[in-house]
Amino acid sequence: MKKVVVVGLGNVGMAYVSNLISTRLADEIVLIDLNRDKILGEAMDLSHAATVFNTSIKIKAGDYKDCFGADIVVIAAGLNQEKGETRLNLINRNNEIIKSIVKEVMQGGFDGIFLVATNPVDIMSYAVRKYSGLPHNRVIGTGTLLDSERLKYLLSQKINVSTENIHAYVVGEHGDSSFVVWSKSTIGMVPILETVPKEDLEAIEYETKHLAYKIIEYKDETSYGVAMCLIKITKAIFNNENLVLNVSSPVDDIYMSMPSVINKDGIKGTMKINFNEEEMEKYENTKKIIKDAIDSMEV
Ligand code: NAD
């Protein structure tokens, strides 16, 4: 029996749950939100959706007692960026929300793996780890997995090659200081720096970093991309895939995105990258931005 509890059933939480049903990754899904009427209605609607495929997934509006025996608790509760607002701006307001949620989840007897989507996701993942007291491998943030998928999409559009053959990744903060590790990026086995002009790569990196702002300008929020990233992580855990994903993971004394191996235990390990000089500077910069944000947090 695979049990997933989702806290926060707004745009992101609902996009995740509907995909969790269609991928049949879970046997039991529990919804928790401040808005009780909404989740009562959503649980009914989703149960009917599950029935369309003749699945026997149990879906209910629950409470924190349901965290007992859950394999995964997904946190997608919290405030969203306003137009033009940075993710880091949300830090203190979402920290308060995360603190109260994690306390209740742990009081409910949870002993599984947390997946965190709430922004700023690296800092909120750090906070979830701290407030839960769980081992570091059992708290994972979506991090730059979404940014890496956006990067692959843009590159594939530019050079007309399947995303499957594009090995290019974003690391660091899921935010303005993230960067692409071009020195290690390849198309198939050919170094990308030998095939695509540097100016084009720089333009694509800029666009990758600014896509969220653009989407929010148009539709006020982003949700499907991160929801599918949550699905990918959930699948890697439930199927014990040992899949390498750029997710927010413990790095020294903070959380940030580096390639991490994900399996049934959560984060099996996080890899080090042999950066060139320019990338090392960017790495130190993004790390410092996250560290300063954590230090500034009202705890
Ligand atoms: P939303 O406003 O649509 O939904 C948030 C939900 O959280 C609401 O249903 C609200 O009732 C609930 N909530 C708030 N406080 C709660 C509490 N204390 N306990 C239980 N439920 C609570 O927001 P959204 O668009 O779904 O975004 C959710 C979060 O995900 C935001 O922080 C957003 O920035 C983040 N996000 C992250 C990524 C990423 O890549 N990591 C991408 C998109 C959005």
Side-chain angles (χ1 to χ4, degrees):
M1 279 288 282
K2 295 189 171 95
K3 180 176 177 182
V4 178
V5 175
V6 185
V7 185
L9 277 305
N11 305 303
V12 175
M14 282 308 299
Y16 170 70
V17 173
S18 56
N19 282 296
L20 199 55
I21 292 168
S22 53
T23 50
R24 304 178 187 203
L25 282 169
D27 304 297
E28 188 178 350
I29 304 169
V30 179
L31 315 179
I32 300 178
D33 197 287
L34 284 182
N35 186 342
R36 184 80 191 157
D37 282 351
K38 173 165 166 66
I39 54 169
L40 284 168
E42 296 290 15
M44 292 163 83
D45 198 2
L46 290 164
S47 298
H48 308 156
T51 307
V52 175
F53 291 108
N54 272 332
T55 65
S56 53
I57 304 171
K58 217 173 116 191
I59 303 156
K60 72 164 190 175
D63 58 43
Y64 288 100
K65 288 195 291 297
D66 293 300
C67 294
F68 183 80
D71 300 286
I72 295 175
V73 167
V74 173
I75 304 186
L79 301 171
N80 215 333
Q81 293 157 265
E82 298 290 328
K83 286 180 180 155
E85 192 180 21
T86 70
R87 299 172 179 97
L88 282 175
N89 237 2
L90 301 167
I91 188 167
N92 284 321
R93 287 168 289 162
N94 279 349
N95 180 37
E96 280 309 310
I97 293 172
I98 290 287
K99 197 195 279 187
S100 68
I101 290 171
V102 172
K103 191 171 153 219
E104 299 211 60
V105 170
M106 297 313 288
Q107 280 173 355
F110 179 60
D111 195 23
I113 297 171
F114 273 109
L115 298 190
V116 185
T118 304
N119 275 321
V121 71
D122 306 289
I123 291 119
M124 293 305 115
S125 303
Y126 172 92
V128 169
R129 217 299 302 157
K130 182 175 163 184
Y131 301 136
S132 67
L134 285 175
H136 285 83
N137 61 305
R138 289 209 259 138
V139 177
I140 308 171
T142 52
T144 57
L145 182 55
L146 176 57
D147 312 66
S148 300
E149 298 300 334
R150 285 174 175 156
L151 173 69
K152 277 198 242 176
Y153 168 78
L154 292 176
L155 282 167
S156 103
Q157 295 289 303
K158 177 80 191 169
I159 59 177
N160 204 15
V161 164
S162 163
T163 50
E164 209 178 329
N165 300 116
I166 296 175
H167 309 290
Y169 302 91
V170 180
V171 299
E173 177 206 359
H174 171 58
D176 298 347
S177 68
S178 67
F179 65 98
V180 181
V181 188
W182 292 121
S183 72
K184 300 283 181 275
S185 305
T186 62
I187 307 293
M189 60 180 289
V190 179
I192 205 162
L193 287 168
E194 291 175 13
T195 30
V196 185
K198 189 92 194 291
E199 315 82 76
D200 289 351
L201 296 179
E202 280 166 4
I204 286 173
E205 178 165 0
Y206 181 87
E207 195 177 350
T208 301
K209 287 214 277 192
H210 291 83
L211 269 179
Y213 292 115
K214 210 173 190 176
I215 299 169
I216 291 170
E217 278 292 327
Y218 283 127
K219 56 168 264 195
D220 296 330
E221 47 87 18
T222 79
S223 43
Y224 300 117
V226 69
M228 290 308 271
C229 291
L230 286 166
I231 290 288
K232 198 165 187 171
I233 304 168
T234 305
K235 184 168 156 285
I237 293 169
F238 280 152
N239 295 345
N240 196 23
E241 288 177 0
N242 286 310
L243 189 67
V244 179
L245 296 173
N246 276 29
V247 287
S248 200
S249 319
V251 175
D252 298 334
D253 52 350
I254 61 165
Y255 262 73
M256 66 187 275
S257 282
M258 291 289 279
S260 298
V261 182
I262 306 299
N263 68 14
K264 65 177 177 22
D265 301 318
I267 301 168
K268 183 181 170 197
T270 299
M271 297 178 196
K272 284 203 160 50
I273 303 172
N274 189 11
F275 293 121
N276 66 24
E277 206 176 309
E278 189 188 343
E279 290 159 355
M280 186 50 99
E281 244 175 63
K282 291 180 180 170
Y283 173 76
E284 293 301 344
N285 176 56
T286 194
K287 221 171 145 183
K288 184 173 179 326
I289 284 172
I290 297 172
K291 175 93 175 76
D292 289 350
I294 289 171
D295 291 345
S296 76
M297 198 156 60
E298 292 153 16
V299 280

